[in-house]
Amino acid sequence: MTTEVGSETDVKKEPEKVPEAQHQTDPVQTDQPDKPADSDAQPVASAAQPEESRSAEPESPQEESSSPDPSSPPATGGQKKEKGISRFLPPWLKRQKSQSQDQASESAEQPQSLSPKEEEEESEPKAQPDGAGAAPNTEKTEEEKEEKQESRPEEVQLEENEKEEEKSVGSADTQPVREEKEAESEVKERKEEKKEEEQVIQQETSVLSPLRLNKKMKMVVCHVTLLDGSQFSCEVEKRAKGQYLFFEVCEHLNLIEKDYFGLSFKDNAEQRCWLDPTKEIKRQIRNSQWQFAFSVKFYPPDPSQLTEDITRYLLCLQLRQDIASGRLPCSFVTHALLGSYSLQAELGDYDPEEHRLDYISDLQFAPNQTKELEEKVVELHKSHRGMTPAQADAQFLENAKKLSMYGVDLHHAKDSEGVDIMLGVCANGLLIYKDRLRINRFAWPKILKISYKRSNFYIKIRPGEAEQFESTVGFKLPNHRAAKRVWKVCVEHHTFFRLMSPENPTKSKFLTLGSKFRYSGRTQAQTRQASSLIDRPAPYFQRTSSKRISRSLDGAPMVNVSDYSHAVDSALTAGAGENGPALDLNSDSKSPQVEVVEKPDTDVATSVTYESAIEQTDKGGTGAPERKSKLRVQGENIYVRHSNLMLEDLDKTQEDVLKHQASISELKRSFMEATPEPRPSQWDKRLTGSPATTLRLQAQGSTEVKPEVNGQPEFIEVVEETVVIEEVIKAKPRSPAPETPVTVETEVKEDRSLSSDSESEEEEAEYHAQTPSASISVQQIEEEPEEEQELIQQAPPSVVELQPITEAEPADSAPSAEEEQATAQPEEEECTDKDDAPNGHAPAAEAPPPLRAVEEEPPVVNGSVSRVEAELLPQVICCSEPPVVKTEMVTISDTFAAQKTEISTKEVPIVHTETKTITYEAAQLDGNGDGEPGVLMTAQTITSESLCTTTTTHITKTLKGGLSETRIEKRIVITGDSDIDHDQALAQAIKEAKEQHPDMSVTRVVVHKETELAEDED
Amino acid sequence: MMSAFGRFTHAVVRAVPRSLATEALRTGSLGELDLPRAQQEHELYVSVLKQRLGLEVLELPADEALPDCVFVEDAAVVCGDTALITRPGAESRRNETVAMKDALTKLGLNIVEMTDESATLDGGDVLFTGREFFVGLSKRTNQRGAEILADAFKDYAVSMVPVQGYLHLKSFCSMAGPDLIAIGSSEAAQKALKIMQQMSDHKYDKLTVPDDLAANCIYMNLPGKGDVLLHCTPEEFPESVKVFEKLKDHMLIPVSNHEKVKVDGALTCCSVLVCKSSV
């Protein structure tokens, strides 16, 4: 944390108090003389990203209304970006940013400086990999500090990082805000441009642009229940997005640190759902009422780090609710203690005359409040004399945060054996409870992937010390929507608490199926950063909650308390008013510009959120066409795959399934055998949902999906996919002459568009913890430590084998992050994807080669480039298929590869999916077991598209003895709505491979077909 | 809530019955228990608590019908001002809780009783770290017992740890300081530690001692004395003592457990520590 503090203080020093963070830049900049090169490039790069996101989002609403072409928004957004700073950036940067903003800032520098011109040439997919080109390592390390606890072994490194960080001051944390600042100081002309752009943006931010208002707009009144129980009504345009309403509420509350909060609503099944700020409200609530609740979404693990008292106050209100409802269990003593702080905050000092015993009987401190408890509360209240409301709140939070269920979002589920359990999503990861007992815990660093499919929810676990391979644990949720809900909550929590900046809402998704959903708001790190910029006098607010109308607080000694009346005034004047927001809709006064003045960081938040909006918007009706077009888009683009996070095999082998089962039962641990009668009681209360959950458990069946799918207006595609994957594994040269195996991967995919709800009914989705291994973005780094440890300690035989490769590769890609890479390597290595495009080279050339020395062979340009990218850009995926798979295989020695194949995990095939896998392996593969991995010299992947998608990956490695070996993997994905003759496709693929590379041999062919049966089609 | 981990004001102990030598339950075969020595040992233990550390010690009389009654730890789990009266896993020990309940009631603690007939819990399976509970699932403690414990102490997470090869969870581990877990070196102990680490949101330091039994020590944080650690003697576990001696900031007090260990008694087993004045 020291890091953060440091940086924040810097920020605070800045004298200017300007709405836009950008204006403040200069001081920061000057603070970092040490890294001249970086500082120059950095700001620019970093600046672009917030900008980009900002500009992008506002447009989407407009486009939706003004331009009839729904599928175009993303494209347009991109174009507009060109206007601003972004035009100085190479294309890939633009793309990349959204994916991992932080990393962008540092990594961007190099490519940018070198090839400013290239920007124009860009094509989207290509851009991503390149952007990663530079080594963001320095940033990564900084993250680790935050995670100190986990990274003990690497203390040395941490120290280094700290130094580094200090030098670079703001850059380290890379929050958008700061980045913006830097950018500003950096280039003044840019600054101006930016400003202009911002103005434009700000206007647009209001979502409801004047233009639209003039047209026929249907307005709807939203009712929002606030944390103090009061109602806030607000008129919004019918097609307004969630964030509009959310901002209205925050403005009403005079809340700046809003990122911890959210709006929720009850769906038809009475389940609480979070309103996605980037999507239209109407679509999310469906037929439900426009009734929402404002509540805490992310419980800050350390509330004392919140900047403003008002934020803490709201958090207190939420917790009081949680406690009173039983969702946050605590002991008698704790109930009493927390209750007494509540009293002190609300009433001030205990006054024997005014406060008789019954003065609290209308307050609820516990689910089952007893006289005894009330007496205890009063007793404790007396002892808080002199404590200000803010202090009382702080004390309240200090105690509440220690409760074991603080901030844990519980969901009913069953394990693979049908045993009732609870999934608890929290800041640190996923907790598994059986009844009241914690039976397992998966910290974010342990989780490689989160996915759901139908009513199943899966997490892929990083191998532990004793295990060789990752395992997947599956849980059965009551229904599909519940599964998705858990998944979303996980994605959001992971991003918010674990990452430095949100991941790009995937435009590029690999598995065609699935949700594009990503958390798009600010992360905790970002919001803290932004909060440090808050520069307003502490806002006054009235503490009235728990059914009481405000009381006189004469007895209270503290200023805050006695100033209430004033407080109310100022609060009201500052914000919108309590009433009739509808009226305000048309007026400018209420628009974001106002916010700018008072709340410096509002815009920043907006910008972040905006990013995803574009992508999300087009998703609904046009989902299917869109997606297809994406496939086509690939063209010559490169995509990089990397990191264990991304290693997904589409085909799941039998062994996988078995393994899966094994891991599940492991989960239950030996002691789980006896399952006492299910006890609802308190635990049910704790569910965000209602009893419905439990009931639905029984009802779930294959048919459950149908009802949900039906009757929904939106259109979605249900993808039937047939995947044929061919994997060729390298044959190891035994003779002097290098042998060159050819890999042919063929995927055949069938897409069928069916009607269903795109918004919430994706059949499945995956979320790869972007974190650690990727090494890509600074943020991710934090996870590294833990991984590292494991790797080091474990060293199973096979892993050992891999080592050589691992070390070699990381070396060139990311000089500074050796350890991380080492960890990530085994899986990450092959991620190489490369494009031939000239662009690719620039970054490559730049990629810091210092470590190369380690390698015996000078790296081939292409190869190195790709590798670098791989490391940097975890999430870049241009195509919808899982090219990843082969990546995995590439670098690994034969034996290992073979193993890997079997192990590859994918969702466990479920009832409705038919999976067919054909594998052909050339005999020569056998016996290559000695498995010297060799050094990867080059790797490149070319993807072209026509009727089907063909992805070709060339990998050249140097084996021991100076031999080199080239492996070509080709993956063909055929997507279609008609049946495909796989045999023919396979034959064709092999034939082509042979023709194209007569000098090579086909070593392995895998055909994977995955078809979803008609059930979902309904 | 957890600010004063290790802060204790009172201790409840119970005298050694003569039946301990002959009728006490035992898992191992470390030889015959020498009753007089055991009694002497226990007196020393009590005097350390009383004289050396200044705790207020409640000494319950021995009950010949309860040969294991000296091991009071199993009869109750005290945390804050709540005491959970357990339902010991061994049938013959169930009545030990009666006197314990009375004693703790006298101390003014909130008493929670484990009435569920299907539940068993030995206090020796309960490791309280100051932040959370780990409950060993052993021959003496079952899941239901752990659930009731979780209900009794709602503020804290309660995680389950399978215990194999030992009587209790605390047969091979204990707290040696705030966030410091003393753990034995055996495979079973290390495995249990791994589980605990995985289950916890907190990062604990560990103090690994060569001998599993030596990992059972008593940590206190007493006003005027600071960190206090009661641990095994050099006569019993010379190597492990060396490890403890690395804890420079602790007041180290070797306490012999040579005889009681023969009937699976460890240091923590012989007292229930209470901190009055919580909150």
Side-chain angles (χ1 to χ4, degrees):
Chain A
M1 299 301 159
T2 50
T3 309
E4 260 196 8
V5 175
S7 57
E8 286 182 1
T9 50
D10 284 343
V11 175
K12 282 176 182 169
K13 286 175 192 170
E14 305 177 42
E16 310 168 82
K17 96 176 190 188
V18 191
E20 284 297 322
Q22 299 178 341
H23 300 265
Q24 304 179 350
T25 20
D26 297 19
V28 175
Q29 189 63 27
T30 53
D31 284 347
Q32 19 176 315
D34 302 20
K35 303 166 68 177
D38 287 0
S39 57
D40 287 351
Q42 236 176 12
V44 178
S46 56
Q49 103 187 30
E51 201 58 1
E52 159 186 282
S53 54
R54 187 173 299 171
S55 60
E57 156 46 43
E59 292 166 11
S60 59
Q62 273 194 342
E63 272 163 5
E64 272 187 342
S65 58
S66 59
S67 75
D69 179 6
S71 61
S72 59
T76 355
Q79 292 174 358
K80 286 203 176 184
K81 290 174 197 169
E82 305 274 346
K83 252 201 292 186
I85 294 184
S86 56
R87 89 168 102 139
F88 293 93
L89 299 175
W92 54 79
L93 282 181
K94 298 174 187 171
R95 275 294 291 176
Q96 178 210 350
K97 294 209 167 156
S98 29
Q99 292 224 344
S100 50
Q101 304 188 340
D102 291 344
Q103 95 195 40
S105 62
E106 286 246 321
S107 60
E109 49 176 297
Q110 293 181 347
Q112 176 192 343
S113 54
L114 277 197
S115 54
K117 317 154 193 171
E118 292 179 3
E119 37 174 328
E120 263 129 59
E121 315 169 358
E122 113 282 25
S123 70
E124 281 190 355
K126 193 190 295 178
Q128 293 183 344
D130 291 356
N137 304 325
T138 53
E139 293 189 354
K140 301 175 188 176
T141 49
E142 296 165 19
E143 287 268 341
E144 294 181 3
K145 296 177 198 169
E146 288 196 5
E147 298 279 340
K148 276 178 190 170
Q149 293 177 328
E150 297 180 351
S151 57
R152 261 178 227 147
E154 294 155 314
E155 283 173 55
V156 178
Q157 225 203 348
L158 287 181
E159 289 177 19
E160 291 178 0
N161 298 337
E162 269 176 50
K163 290 176 193 169
E164 238 177 352
E165 191 178 11
E166 278 169 276
K167 293 178 192 172
S168 62
V169 182
S171 66
D173 284 348
T174 35
Q175 266 95 24
V177 176
R178 187 179 295 168
E179 289 172 1
E180 282 180 68
K181 296 185 202 166
E182 292 177 4
E184 267 237 309
S185 63
E186 174 60 15
V187 189
K188 299 209 171 176
E189 21 168 27
R190 253 175 224 154
K191 195 196 259 178
E192 293 179 2
E193 289 180 3
K194 231 190 222 173
K195 284 180 185 173
E196 290 181 3
E197 200 170 272
E198 273 171 19
Q199 289 177 356
V200 176
I201 292 160
Q202 289 170 5
Q203 290 173 355
E204 291 174 344
T205 309
S206 62
V207 176
L208 295 180
S209 67
L211 287 180
R212 301 183 68 181
L213 286 175
N214 293 339
K215 298 175 184 176
K216 32 131 202 189
M217 302 215 83
K218 294 188 178 175
M219 306 301 284
V220 181
V221 177
C222 297
H223 302 279
V224 181
T225 305
L226 303 179
L227 286 167
D228 62 2
S230 65
Q231 289 284 322
F232 169 73
S233 295
C234 170
E235 196 170 62
V236 303
E237 195 236 326
K238 208 171 180 183
R239 299 183 58 190
K241 290 187 174 148
Q243 63 191 0
Y244 175 78
L245 179 59
F246 181 65
F247 287 170
E248 288 297 309
V249 175
C250 291
E251 193 175 344
H252 169 74
L253 293 169
N254 202 11
L255 173 66
I256 288 183
E257 293 174 287
K258 54 171 83 88
D259 302 286
Y260 300 95
F261 302 84
L263 292 175
S264 64
F265 61 94
K266 292 280 177 71
D267 68 8
N268 297 330
E270 284 298 299
Q271 298 291 311
R272 186 176 79 158
C273 303
W274 290 105
L275 190 67
D276 188 332
T278 64
K279 293 181 183 171
E280 285 183 23
I281 298 171
K282 183 163 156 284
R283 287 201 161 177
Q284 301 182 59
I285 63 172
R286 307 259 177 72
N287 297 324
S288 305
Q289 303 212 319
W290 291 69
Q291 174 72 50
F292 306 91
F294 177 82
S295 40
V296 175
K297 187 174 189 180
F298 304 112
Y299 290 74
D302 185 2
S304 66
Q305 289 196 31
L306 295 174
T307 298
E308 295 200 304
D309 288 341
I310 190 172
T311 316
R312 267 185 287 273
Y313 168 66
L314 291 172
L315 178 57
C316 283
L317 291 181
Q318 175 71 65
L319 288 166
R320 287 183 208 169
Q321 266 183 32
D322 294 346
I323 290 168
S325 67
R327 260 193 296 155
L328 180 59
C330 44
S331 65
F332 175 85
V333 174
T334 305
H335 276 137
L337 183 63
L338 295 179
S340 67
Y341 286 127
S342 297
L343 280 186
Q344 182 70 22
E346 284 197 24
L347 306 181
D349 287 350
Y350 175 79
D351 179 349
E353 293 187 2
E354 186 186 357
H355 300 155
R356 293 183 204 98
L357 187 52
D358 61 347
Y359 79 113
I360 58 165
S361 53
D362 56 345
L363 299 180
Q364 194 176 10
F365 304 108
N368 304 309
Q369 191 159 322
T370 61
K371 209 65 189 164
E372 186 190 5
L373 175 63
E374 291 178 1
E375 287 168 6
K376 185 75 176 173
V377 170
V378 173
E379 179 190 327
L380 292 170
H381 180 200
K382 292 175 186 171
S383 69
H384 301 323
R385 178 165 295 279
M387 199 178 276
T388 68
Q391 288 170 335
D393 280 346
Q395 284 301 310
F396 179 97
L397 294 175
E398 279 307 294
N399 285 279
K401 77 175 185 189
K402 294 174 187 166
L403 296 169
S404 79
M405 299 309 287
Y406 172 83
V408 178
D409 189 16
L410 284 180
H411 301 259
H412 273 301
K414 288 174 189 277
D415 67 10
S416 65
E417 293 170 29
V419 177
D420 284 311
I421 57 168
M422 299 285 253
L423 303 180
V425 184
C426 66
N428 293 323
L430 185 63
L431 302 166
I432 317 295
Y433 295 92
K434 167 125 183 32
D435 295 310
R436 299 158 188 78
L437 302 175
R438 185 183 290 184
I439 58 171
N440 214 335
R441 170 179 172 271
F442 301 100
W444 294 130
K446 283 286 283 180
I447 299 178
L448 295 173
K449 192 182 85 170
I450 310 166
S451 59
Y452 73 96
K453 192 166 187 178
R454 298 203 179 73
S455 60
N456 295 277
F457 172 71
Y458 303 100
I459 54 177
K460 188 198 269 185
I461 308 300
R462 188 183 304 280
E465 298 174 14
E467 306 135 33
Q468 214 164 331
F469 306 107
E470 59 240 24
S471 55
T472 297
V473 181
F475 304 95
K476 182 86 173 162
L477 276 289
N479 56 49
H480 165 71
R481 304 182 72 167
K484 182 175 181 184
R485 201 159 43 233
V486 171
W487 177 81
K488 276 179 132 179
V489 170
C490 281
V491 169
E492 292 178 324
H493 275 71
H494 174 266
T495 308
F496 185 81
F497 289 111
R498 192 78 187 140
L499 301 184
M500 288 297 286
S501 69
E503 198 180 349
N504 187 20
T506 62
K507 240 172 210 166
S508 45
K509 36 194 298 182
F510 26 101
L511 297 181
T512 312
L513 300 172
S515 169
K516 293 176 185 175
F517 174 81
R518 289 293 183 273
Y519 175 67
S520 56
R522 279 194 287 211
T523 63
Q524 177 174 244
Q526 288 172 328
T527 194
R528 281 181 181 169
Q529 183 60 35
S531 298
S532 70
L533 298 175
I534 292 178
D535 185 15
R536 65 171 182 183
Y540 295 104
F541 53 94
Q542 192 172 19
R543 291 168 202 265
T544 67
S545 75
S546 26
K547 306 176 191 169
R548 279 178 328 96
I549 307 169
S550 62
R551 289 169 165 261
S552 86
L553 295 163
D554 297 338
M558 302 312 294
V559 183
N560 294 10
V561 179
S562 48
D563 274 355
Y564 273 160
S565 57
H566 176 208
V568 178
D569 289 345
S570 61
L572 291 181
T573 47
E578 282 181 331
N579 46 13
L583 297 179
D584 291 334
L585 272 181
N586 292 320
S587 71
D588 292 342
S589 62
K590 212 190 167 189
S591 68
Q593 283 96 327
V594 175
E595 281 188 350
V596 175
V597 177
E598 295 186 0
K599 314 173 186 177
D601 60 332
T602 305
D603 295 48
V604 178
T606 316
S607 65
V608 177
T609 339
Y610 281 168
E611 271 190 334
S612 60
I614 300 177
E615 333 225 348
Q616 305 285 355
T617 17
D618 53 16
K619 198 182 168 192
T622 52
E626 244 281 293
R627 204 170 285 173
K628 278 179 186 169
S629 66
K630 273 178 203 158
L631 285 179
R632 304 280 124 76
V633 173
Q634 295 180 355
E636 299 177 319
N637 300 322
I638 310 158
Y639 50 83
V640 178
R641 225 26 151 34
H642 81 310
S643 103
N644 8 4
L645 297 183
M646 311 303 291
L647 295 174
E648 299 313 321
D649 281 2
L650 249 199
D651 52 342
K652 177 156 191 128
T653 65
Q654 186 62 24
E655 295 210 6
D656 287 342
V657 179
L658 292 177
K659 191 161 183 69
H660 170 72
Q661 298 295 357
S663 64
I664 289 176
S665 29
E666 186 182 285
L667 161 79
K668 300 179 64 178
R669 300 195 179 283
S670 50
F671 50 79
M672 292 299 309
E673 336 91 318
T675 306
E677 343 74 278
R679 308 158 193 286
S681 71
Q682 292 205 350
W683 284 73
D684 277 343
K685 292 185 201 157
R686 312 212 42 231
L687 290 179
T688 49
S690 67
T693 319
T694 352
L695 296 179
R696 302 194 97 195
L697 271 177
Q698 317 291 349
Q700 62 181 273
S702 55
T703 48
E704 61 174 323
V705 177
K706 282 190 190 173
E708 294 176 2
V709 174
N710 288 341
Q712 282 157 8
E714 295 93 343
F715 219 72
I716 269 209
E717 55 181 351
V718 171
V719 182
E720 277 205 276
E721 99 182 312
T722 304
V723 185
V724 180
I725 302 175
E726 290 186 15
E727 301 185 0
V728 176
I729 299 185
K730 74 165 188 189
K732 208 181 174 192
R734 303 191 170 178
S735 61
E739 250 180 277
T740 47
V742 175
T743 306
V744 179
E745 291 207 296
T746 308
E747 284 193 359
V748 183
K749 256 192 198 182
E750 294 182 13
D751 264 7
R752 285 193 207 166
S753 294
L754 298 176
S755 64
S756 62
D757 179 332
S758 63
E759 284 259 297
S760 51
E761 300 303 332
E762 297 99 7
E763 280 305 299
E764 64 178 60
E766 296 187 346
Y767 172 72
H768 302 264
Q770 182 192 16
T771 37
S773 52
S775 68
I776 297 166
S777 58
V778 177
Q779 333 141 341
Q780 303 176 340
I781 294 183
E782 31 180 359
E783 315 217 298
E784 301 291 309
E786 207 171 285
E787 305 171 20
E788 264 269 319
Q789 300 176 359
E790 290 171 4
L791 246 194
I792 294 171
Q793 297 175 353
Q794 87 188 77
S798 64
V799 173
V800 174
E801 264 191 352
L802 285 186
Q803 297 283 341
I805 298 184
T806 309
E807 292 173 358
E809 294 216 333
D812 36 333
S813 48
S816 60
E818 318 114 341
E819 27 159 34
E820 307 171 359
Q821 296 165 345
T823 323
Q825 276 315 311
E827 321 220 16
E828 183 180 1
E829 1 182 298
E830 287 70 41
C831 352
T832 37
D833 282 354
K834 238 300 80 282
D835 70 347
D836 304 327
N839 287 346
H841 293 295
E846 286 231 311
L851 287 192
R852 289 284 174 78
V854 178
E855 280 192 62
E856 299 176 357
E857 309 256 18
V860 176
V861 176
N862 281 343
S864 62
V865 174
S866 60
R867 254 173 278 157
V868 173
E869 292 174 356
E871 298 264 10
L872 297 177
L873 265 195
Q875 298 293 348
V876 183
I877 304 122
C878 302
C879 63
S880 53
E881 315 78 73
V884 199
V885 179
K886 54 184 150 189
T887 312
E888 185 175 10
M889 322 245 59
V890 180
T891 326
I892 303 171
S893 68
D894 305 20
T895 16
F896 187 79
Q899 281 175 316
K900 261 295 191 189
T901 318
E902 295 172 350
I903 284 154
S904 59
T905 342
K906 197 230 154 167
E907 278 68 283
V908 181
I910 307 185
V911 210
H912 312 297
T913 306
E914 190 180 62
T915 307
K916 186 173 167 186
T917 304
I918 304 166
T919 306
Y920 157 76
E921 282 192 46
Q924 63 198 57
L925 270 186
D926 303 346
N928 284 337
D930 50 306
E932 271 284 335
V935 177
L936 181 61
M937 293 175 64
T938 72
Q940 77 178 197
T941 300
I942 303 167
T943 305
S944 66
E945 273 228 25
S946 57
L947 259 186
C948 52
T949 307
T950 303
T951 305
T952 310
T953 306
H954 291 250
I955 292 140
T956 303
K957 292 169 37 171
T958 304
L959 302 170
K960 83 182 162 191
L963 303 178
S964 71
E965 159 194 292
T966 301
R967 227 166 358 129
I968 300 175
E969 295 185 354
K970 185 184 276 187
R971 160 177 306 196
I972 303 168
V973 179
I974 304 174
T975 311
D977 43 4
S978 63
D979 284 341
I980 289 168
D981 184 337
H982 303 96
D983 293 335
Q984 190 188 350
L986 177 58
Q988 181 66 22
I990 295 174
K991 188 181 160 204
E992 283 179 8
K994 284 180 177 167
E995 284 172 0
Q996 289 173 10
H997 306 280
D999 53 335
M1000 302 174 99
S1001 56
V1002 176
T1003 55
R1004 188 151 191 257
V1005 180
V1006 178
V1007 180
H1008 181 80
K1009 173 189 175 187
E1010 194 171 341
T1011 311
E1012 283 197 25
L1013 299 184
E1015 180 231 329
D1016 288 340
E1017 304 176 18
D1018 170 1
Chain B
M1 291 192 311
M2 46 195 73
S3 52
F5 178 65
R7 180 70 43 89
F8 298 109
T9 56
H10 294 68
V12 179
V13 299
R14 197 163 189 178
V16 178
R18 287 188 304 278
S19 54
L20 177 72
T22 52
E23 297 169 47
L25 301 172
R26 66 198 72 190
T27 58
S29 51
L30 293 174
E32 280 305 300
L33 180 137
D34 182 333
L35 184 64
R37 285 189 64 183
Q39 286 171 326
Q40 187 186 357
E41 200 173 80
H42 189 61
E43 282 164 18
L44 191 68
Y45 177 92
V46 174
S47 75
V48 166
L49 298 179
K50 204 187 294 184
Q51 271 82 43
R52 184 98 186 255
L53 301 178
L55 297 182
E56 211 163 300
V57 179
L58 261 74
E59 294 185 70
L60 306 180
D63 183 339
E64 292 302 327
L66 301 170
D68 289 298
C69 68
V70 66
F71 303 124
V72 289
E73 175 186 49
D74 292 323
V77 177
V78 177
C79 178
D81 61 357
T82 299
L84 172 67
I85 306 301
T86 65
R87 190 168 178 277
E91 192 87 38
S92 65
R93 301 191 59 188
R94 298 269 158 82
N95 286 336
E96 291 178 23
T97 58
V98 178
M100 178 56 68
K101 181 185 166 190
D102 291 344
L104 295 178
T105 305
K106 264 183 225 159
L107 287 176
L109 299 177
N110 301 320
I111 304 294
V112 179
E113 289 190 80
M114 193 175 280
T115 52
D116 191 323
E117 297 276 307
S118 67
T120 63
L121 181 88
D122 275 14
D125 277 318
V126 179
L127 178 66
F128 178 64
T129 68
R131 300 178 179 276
E132 63 192 313
F133 285 97
F134 292 106
V135 177
L137 283 190
S138 66
K139 293 195 176 81
R140 299 282 179 84
T141 299
N142 64 20
Q143 187 181 325
R144 183 67 190 127
E147 281 174 26
I148 292 173
L149 179 105
D151 259 358
F153 304 103
K154 290 197 183 70
D155 291 352
Y156 301 100
V158 178
S159 303
M160 319 238 302
V161 183
V163 172
Q164 279 157 355
Y166 280 96
L167 180 64
H168 287 140
L169 175 64
K170 281 196 278 190
S171 297
F172 52 79
C173 69
S174 65
M175 296 307 291
D179 296 338
L180 177 62
I181 298 178
I183 185 79
S185 301
S186 72
E187 196 179 328
Q190 291 296 318
K191 191 176 167 193
L193 178 66
K194 289 260 160 51
I195 291 172
M196 290 191 277
Q197 286 171 334
Q198 182 184 339
M199 298 284 226
S200 176
D201 289 329
H202 302 288
K203 295 289 178 186
Y204 295 102
D205 294 322
K206 62 175 179 180
L207 182 72
T208 307
V209 296
D211 309 286
D212 281 0
L213 292 176
N216 183 293
C217 56
I218 301 177
Y219 169 80
M220 293 184 227
N221 181 357
L222 301 177
K225 299 194 172 56
D227 296 325
V228 176
L229 194 68
L230 277 60
H231 61 82
C232 58
T233 60
E235 291 74 32
E236 297 166 89
F237 303 107
E239 293 305 312
S240 294
V241 168
K242 288 179 190 166
V243 176
F244 285 119
E245 284 170 351
K246 290 177 184 165
L247 298 172
K248 297 298 182 195
D249 297 335
H250 287 51
M251 175 194 287
L252 298 174
I253 305 176
V255 177
S256 172
N257 194 43
H258 187 263
E259 292 303 316
K260 284 181 284 192
V261 73
K262 293 174 182 172
V263 285
D264 299 314
L267 289 179
T268 59
C269 295
C270 302
S271 62
V272 169
L273 300 175
V274 176
C275 182
K276 289 215 53 183
S277 77
S278 52
V279 175

